[in-house]
Amino acid sequence: MTQQHHQFQFRHIGPNASEQQEMLDYLGMASLAELMEKALPEAIHYRGASLLPEAISEDDALGRLHEIASKNRITQSFMGLGYYGTRTPGVIKRNVLENPSWYTAYTPYQPEISQGRLEALINYQTMVTELTGMKTSNASMLDESTAVVEAMMIAKRSAASESNVFFADSDLFPQTKALLEHRAEPLGIVIRYFDAANNQELDEECFGAVVQYPGASGRIVEFENLFAKVHEFGGLAIATADLMALTLITPPGEKGADVVCGTTQRFGIPMGFGGPHAGYLAVREKLERTMPGRLVGVSVDAEGAPAYRLTLQTREQHIRREKATSNICTAQVLLAVMAGMYAVYHGPKNLKAIALEIHHKTSALAKVLVEVGLELEHSHFFDTIRVLTPNANEFYEAARQKDLTMLLVDDEILGISVDESTSWHHLAELAAAFGARAPRGEDATDQLKSHRQSAYLEHPVFNTHHSETGMMRYLKRLADFDYALDRGMIPLGSCTMKLNSVTEMEAVTWPEFANLHPFAPAEDTQGYMELITELSSWLSDITGYEAVSLQPNAGSQGELAGLLAIRGYHRSRGDFQRSICLIPSSAHGTNAASAVLAGMDVVVVQCDEDGNVDFHDLTRNIAEAGDRLAALMITYPSTHGVYEEAVVEICDLVHSAGGQVYIDGANTNAVVGYAKFGDFGGDVSHLNLHKTFCIPHGGGGPGVGPVVARSHLQEFLPGHSMAQAELPKYGPVSGAPFGSASILPISWAYVQMMGNEGLMNATAVAVLSANYVAKKLADAFPLLYTGKNGLIAHEAIIDIRPLQNEAGVGNDDVAKRLIDYGFHAPTMSFPVSGTLMIEPTESEPKQEIDRFIDAMLAIRAEAQKVQDGDWPKDNNPLVNAPHTASQMAGEWDHPYTRQEAVYPAGAEPKGKYWPPVRRIDGAFGDRNLTCTCPPIESFITTPSRISSS
């Protein structure tokens, strides 16, 4: 048994034993065991044994991970297909990827305390729009293949054509083809393949067409006439393009593209056996409102100064639900920040130099291969060539002997992709495998077909921070603008912002995990296979399900994968009519969006006054659905933060009607060790490894959303034709076989270091902390929902609406005032408008929880002053929050003091967090849409001129 001082659970769990007992005493409980007995329904309480390994120390876990990593073989990859070797600048690796100021931040829904990462995302959007020649880019996607699917969906929504036909370039990456086919089928979309070099094959009306630019085979084709033909049909023209190539070749936006998408992986993001990577998506003018994902825009704050915010949020799932443009939620923000900073650090000249070096090396290699009589498939290319030879296998093996891995397309075709990490020595070794001489710089020729003439990245931000000192300081300045877990508590209900330990994070950047191609030969991936197998078995034990897929690279994609599994299961049994998905009114917005994308019809089930699924309304809807019932989606514990007593009965009701039960695993952190979805009635769930299992949120991504299921659904979980292990024959939901594989060591380390006892303690302390906060605040803020014995699960919903009615103080005012006290706000208006949902997690120390409670009580006392008439409703610290340092130095016309504004009672003066901007005007930003780096002059424009513009 590991001695206590080596047990990781005591590092992960914030309150120590004596503090836990203080909290328990306050609740009138003798122990954590009593608390969980009283909170959890008896019908779901799991009391069996666990198969999880015993907890090991942090040092032992790292030793074990080194042992696993050593089983991966890293070769120089020439495989391409959208995944390339790259060099992550050390200043970005150290100051972004490995910096908790960036990786522990939450999605920038509170823009006043997110100006740093919002600026970083504006840089990213500007980089994408200028390289692609498009008008507007979103703030990243999940990967290239899912971005192409989303582009297809934009075309379906926006095209003038009523056709269901979508044309896809036969030279698309194979993983993208598979994803398009799987995602199109439930929606009745017909995929037709064509040769993009021959627009005569575009021979029927379509709502859109996509070309790969350059193609998977490396070829560069001219496609202006092709796009014109698509437009004649009333469809949208889409290109999935390589941003590195676009520094040299004409961008699709200048060729008439409506949508351009792809990946930013080769902009400093390691291959990582498939991810995480930031996909990109950009559109022409007038398509902005159809875009999925998040969009960063420029607005103004209360003083008229420019400020960044997420814009056009009416497109998002929590508002539009089944009418949402997409189910995409997590958006790989951390990786988008890295890619954008790669462009900032290198600037346009060095980006072009990197691209030219790649092209010159490729063309030099091509020349020496032709010299020895080898035939190339295409004469125009950027970084990829295809060699036609009956000896493909022989040459492939010869290169493998030199630790070089090409793409074996088939027995007679070899693919070779050169990248930033390819050295002249690598090329010499590869040429020797073909019996050719070593390529030299003077062998390089220009094999591009379409040369770019337009300028790009001219904004000062891309032409300033090129020294390491300058870049380090720029990144530090932006990080200091933001609030992340390294500053203090982020009490977000539903999003579980808890410790992401350094030990868990450490292996992510190890070369053995970071530098492996997702389609590498199986013999090179044995370490990953071992880690994936172990983590999958542990998640199976934790959830009570037999089958696990780690492929979904976001919780929303896990939802979609689970619902597609249900669809596949019903159809395999001949139940083609089963299409109705019942979803409670309290559900996450992605639930409804995912159901629609899985070809289902959403029917909303009401909730009762206690926040539970309304059993009578559910019964009525099941009866009305009849044999059309496909599934019920519920979240457990519920989105209202309570353990529903009737969940087993609800599952039985759905099963007796022939339906399947999807249990949304967003709140799994409240049941780990105490209940198992698969045991009490679930057929399939997704988990959020970026919540329950400690992968950090990274400012809005990365995420992993594994789907776990009962054995009868196993054959319908995501498959992949290029996987190194046997997967189901069903279609994929991500570009890579195992999704964002390089961050799986984080969750592996968490489970391995916690063990079953540690995981159970984490669950119980999360429930303890939530109930402690709820009871402490109960007299000041009404608690909206409670469950058994008046207890809640892991999160508390407090009602701010009475305060709004009595004092004119809404939840937005409370959220912004918390910034002055040094806190991130809880979740606002979800799942009930006018409320705050608080989740302290098990990682927050009692001292920080008490500090938050004190701040909330002090805010309630301030609101009382407004109620009593001491402060006017339109001029008080709540409605004016947050307060900035510059505001303190200016004129003061408020009925409260500067001290009360920025150092309110109980706030800690030392280490004061100063928001860089005042409250931001959301409506202004939506009316005046600016989603790229604004001209530098806008930052010196007077407030009066801005506000009148």
Side-chain angles (χ1 to χ4, degrees):
M1 180 66 182
T2 305
Q3 293 183 4
Q4 181 166 322
H5 70 281
H6 287 308
Q7 288 186 43
F8 175 72
Q9 65 164 301
F10 298 107
R11 303 296 188 190
H12 175 81
I13 296 172
N16 62 32
S18 62
E19 290 168 336
Q20 291 174 29
Q21 195 57 55
E22 287 178 40
M23 298 159 78
L24 287 164
D25 290 344
Y26 181 74
L27 296 175
M29 303 284 177
S31 64
L32 291 176
E34 181 186 352
L35 172 66
M36 295 307 290
E37 284 288 345
K38 290 187 173 179
L40 209 66
E42 176 58 33
I44 70 167
H45 204 141
Y46 179 79
R47 302 181 189 279
S50 168
L51 299 178
L52 294 182
E54 192 161 310
I56 61 177
S57 71
E58 294 176 74
D59 285 346
D60 288 344
L62 288 174
R64 178 88 177 87
L65 276 172
H66 274 297
E67 183 184 317
I68 291 172
S70 70
K71 298 176 183 177
N72 290 330
R73 177 188 174 194
I74 303 300
T75 66
Q76 181 65 28
S77 174
F78 290 91
M79 297 183 72
L81 296 183
Y83 300 95
Y84 307 94
T86 183
R87 295 193 179 102
T88 307
V91 66
I92 295 175
K93 177 185 172 187
R94 172 66 59 87
N95 294 288
V96 179
L97 180 58
E98 297 177 342
N99 183 352
S101 293
W102 290 96
Y103 69 69
T104 70
Y106 182 61
T107 304
Y109 282 129
Q110 295 291 338
E112 294 84 1
I113 57 177
S114 307
Q115 289 297 294
R117 85 198 77 125
L118 286 166
E119 180 171 327
L121 290 175
I122 279 279
N123 294 345
Y124 171 90
Q125 290 178 178
T126 305
M127 172 191 80
V128 170
T129 56
E130 296 198 3
L131 288 176
T132 59
M134 301 302 285
K135 176 69 168 55
T136 306
S137 162
N138 69 10
S140 78
M141 301 297 293
L142 297 173
D143 63 17
E144 175 162 0
S145 297
T146 52
V148 174
V149 171
E150 296 294 337
M152 176 179 73
M153 299 302 295
I154 291 175
K156 188 71 179 116
R157 289 189 295 272
S158 307
S161 171
E162 295 296 318
S163 170
N164 283 326
V165 172
F166 183 74
F167 276 96
D169 187 351
S170 56
D171 206 17
L172 278 179
F173 295 140
Q175 68 271 23
T176 302
K177 290 180 181 178
L179 202 60
L180 275 174
E181 292 165 11
H182 191 50
R183 292 288 303 276
E185 187 274 329
L187 303 174
I189 294 172
V190 178
I191 304 294
R192 297 245 193 275
Y193 291 104
F194 75 109
D195 182 353
N198 180 10
N199 66 8
Q200 297 303 311
E201 293 189 13
L202 205 71
D203 55 3
E204 63 178 300
E205 185 178 346
C206 60
F207 69 82
V210 61
V211 298
Q212 188 90 45
Y213 183 64
S217 66
R219 72 174 182 176
I220 299 174
V221 298
E222 298 286 0
F223 47 77
E224 293 95 329
N225 294 336
L226 171 73
F227 281 1
K229 194 166 184 180
V230 175
H231 290 147
E232 286 175 19
F233 286 135
L236 266 61
I238 301 166
T240 175
D242 183 334
L243 291 183
M244 190 65 79
L246 296 187
T247 65
L248 301 179
I249 61 178
T250 307
E254 296 176 16
K255 292 172 171 281
D258 300 294
V259 186
V260 184
C261 56
T263 179
T264 60
Q265 180 268 315
R266 70 190 310 169
F267 276 38
I269 315 299
M271 289 185 287
F273 202 44
H277 305 136
Y280 75 85
L281 191 149
V283 297
R284 63 163 167 77
E285 196 167 10
K286 297 184 179 178
L287 287 177
E288 297 92 346
R289 290 180 185 273
T290 71
M291 275 201 305
R294 294 168 183 144
L295 183 63
V296 179
V298 182
S299 187
V300 294
D301 75 356
E303 293 179 350
Y308 305 110
R309 63 182 278 272
L310 294 179
T311 192
L312 297 182
Q313 289 190 54
T314 51
R315 303 170 305 121
E316 293 231 30
Q317 305 87 356
H318 64 279
I319 295 171
R320 300 203 67 201
R321 300 175 72 81
E322 68 272 13
K323 295 184 175 65
T325 55
S326 164
N327 77 326
I328 294 291
C329 184
T330 304
Q332 313 294 42
V333 167
L334 184 68
L335 296 314
V337 169
M338 289 178 65
M341 290 304 173
Y342 180 92
V344 168
Y345 191 49
H346 285 300
K349 290 181 181 178
N350 283 332
L351 281 182
K352 185 174 183 179
I354 292 168
L356 278 171
E357 183 178 352
I358 290 169
H359 180 61
H360 288 160
K361 287 176 177 175
T362 309
S363 62
L365 176 66
K367 180 179 180 180
V368 301
L369 295 183
V370 170
E371 284 178 355
V372 294
L374 292 166
E375 181 184 353
L376 301 185
E377 187 174 10
H378 304 297
S379 57
H380 295 291
F381 50 81
F382 163 60
D383 67 346
T384 298
I385 57 176
R386 289 277 172 95
V387 179
L388 309 181
T389 169
N391 302 318
N393 285 287
E394 179 185 327
F395 291 136
Y396 175 84
E397 291 300 333
R400 289 279 289 165
Q401 294 298 315
K402 299 171 179 285
D403 284 336
L404 310 171
T405 303
M406 295 181 285
L407 181 71
L408 188 61
V409 180
D410 60 33
D411 290 344
E412 297 186 345
I413 302 177
L414 283 167
I416 303 172
S417 293
V418 175
D419 57 47
E420 184 187 11
S421 72
T422 308
S423 68
W424 286 104
H425 174 71
H426 291 140
L427 293 178
E429 289 284 283
L430 185 61
F434 285 95
R437 67 175 175 84
R440 299 183 296 269
E442 55 266 31
D443 293 319
T445 55
D446 183 353
Q447 300 299 320
L448 302 172
K449 188 171 187 176
S450 176
H451 293 82
R452 179 168 192 149
Q453 303 299 318
S454 55
Y456 49 87
L457 304 186
E458 295 182 299
H459 189 276
V461 75
F462 298 104
N463 295 278
T464 303
H465 311 291
H466 297 161
S467 73
E468 183 167 334
T469 302
M471 189 66 181
M472 175 182 67
R473 290 174 180 165
Y474 180 55
L475 291 170
K476 171 66 173 171
R477 180 167 67 85
L478 294 190
D480 283 349
F481 285 163
D482 283 12
Y483 190 103
L485 275 178
D486 62 341
R487 283 192 188 272
M489 181 181 187
I490 304 181
L492 287 156
S494 187
C495 281
T496 316
M497 300 294 294
K498 62 183 179 182
L499 174 70
N500 317 117
S501 82
V502 174
T503 300
E504 291 160 3
M505 296 290 294
E506 196 161 328
V508 169
T509 53
W510 292 353
E512 298 91 340
F513 287 128
N515 295 342
L516 196 59
H517 193 287
F519 309 142
E523 61 268 23
D524 291 2
T525 67
Q526 293 309 297
Y528 260 119
M529 291 302 102
E530 183 174 329
L531 183 139
I532 286 166
T533 300
E534 285 191 1
L535 180 58
S536 296
S537 71
W538 298 345
L539 295 178
S540 175
D541 181 72
I542 288 167
T543 60
Y545 289 116
E546 295 86 5
V548 179
S549 169
L550 298 175
Q551 188 183 114
N553 49 12
S556 58
Q557 300 306 89
E559 286 178 11
L560 180 60
L563 290 167
L564 288 171
I566 290 174
R567 172 186 169 83
Y569 171 73
H570 284 314
R571 294 172 77 83
S572 74
R573 293 159 56 88
D575 289 336
F576 293 90
Q577 80 287 353
R578 289 196 179 272
S579 62
I580 290 178
C581 185
L582 304 179
I583 301 179
S585 59
S586 65
H588 292 94
T590 54
N591 283 181
S594 295
V596 170
L597 293 176
M600 295 182 181
D601 303 312
V602 173
V603 173
V604 176
V605 178
Q606 297 307 311
C607 292
D608 64 23
E609 59 185 16
D610 295 321
N612 300 314
V613 173
D614 186 319
F615 200 80
H616 296 295
D617 193 49
L618 174 65
T619 304
R620 180 182 61 81
N621 277 299
I622 288 175
E624 288 184 6
D627 69 353
R628 293 186 60 216
L629 177 65
L632 166 73
M633 291 188 84
I634 55 171
T635 302
Y636 203 85
S638 79
T639 314
H640 289 136
V642 295
Y643 295 107
E644 294 197 31
E645 286 290 313
V647 65
V648 174
E649 198 175 347
I650 287 170
C651 293
D652 289 344
L653 200 63
V654 173
H655 288 146
S656 65
Q660 296 283 286
V661 177
Y662 185 109
I663 299 181
D664 183 318
N667 297 338
T668 308
N669 47 300
V671 299
V672 173
Y674 286 91
K676 301 189 178 190
F677 298 146
D679 282 358
F680 67 71
D683 295 293
V684 61
S685 296
H686 82 274
L687 308 174
N688 294 95
L689 298 194
H690 48 291
K691 293 182 183 183
T692 304
F693 297 97
C694 292
I695 289 175
H697 280 250
V704 179
V707 59
V708 285
R710 298 301 306 272
S711 56
H712 65 277
L713 294 179
Q714 182 163 4
E715 63 182 291
F716 306 105
L717 295 185
H720 202 291
S721 62
M722 290 179 279
Q724 294 84 356
E726 187 175 346
L727 296 183
K729 305 301 181 188
Y730 213 47
V733 295
S734 300
F738 302 99
S740 295
S742 71
I743 54 177
L744 295 177
I746 301 170
S747 297
W748 181 97
Y750 174 64
V751 177
Q752 177 69 86
M753 293 188 299
M754 291 291 279
N756 189 59
E757 178 191 324
L759 292 174
M760 291 183 73
N761 287 338
T763 301
V765 174
V767 174
L768 171 65
S769 296
N771 279 280
Y772 177 74
V773 170
K775 187 173 181 181
K776 282 276 188 177
L777 295 180
D779 291 339
F781 300 98
L783 184 62
L784 207 54
Y785 302 111
T786 58
K788 176 183 169 188
N789 294 313
L791 296 169
I792 57 172
H794 62 302
E795 58 195 12
I797 300 178
I798 60 172
D799 200 349
I800 310 298
R801 291 171 296 186
L803 211 56
Q804 176 78 63
N805 296 334
E806 296 160 10
V809 173
N811 64 352
D812 202 41
D813 301 316
V814 176
K816 305 308 179 189
R817 184 58 171 155
L818 276 167
I819 298 171
D820 291 329
Y821 281 85
F823 285 102
H824 194 293
T827 303
M828 294 169 52
S829 290
F830 176 81
V832 181
S833 181
T835 64
L836 294 175
M837 183 158 58
I838 303 165
E839 181 179 353
T841 85
E842 73 273 13
S843 292
E844 288 301 333
K846 182 176 180 294
Q847 180 183 7
E848 184 75 350
I849 294 172
D850 285 334
R851 192 172 77 86
F852 173 76
I853 291 167
D854 290 344
M856 289 295 293
L857 294 176
I859 288 170
R860 181 62 185 87
E862 291 176 342
Q864 190 63 46
K865 284 190 173 186
V866 180
Q867 283 179 259
D868 295 342
D870 295 345
W871 289 331
K873 287 188 175 182
D874 62 350
N875 190 2
N876 61 69
L878 293 154
V879 299
N880 290 332
H883 298 83
T884 61
S886 61
Q887 188 184 1
M888 293 302 100
E891 295 183 11
W892 194 257
D893 58 353
H894 304 296
Y896 53 96
T897 67
R898 286 179 168 89
Q899 174 80 20
E900 288 173 313
V902 298
Y903 294 120
E908 175 57 57
K910 290 184 178 179
K912 161 78 177 173
Y913 168 71
W914 292 95
V917 296
R918 292 186 62 192
R919 195 175 305 193
I920 294 173
D921 185 338
F924 180 95
D926 284 352
R927 290 193 309 269
N928 303 275
L929 194 64
T930 302
C931 297
T932 54
C933 293
I936 201 72
E937 294 77 22
S938 70
F939 290 94
I940 56 173
T941 304
T942 62
S944 59
R945 284 182 58 196
I946 291 177
S947 58
S948 62
S949 64

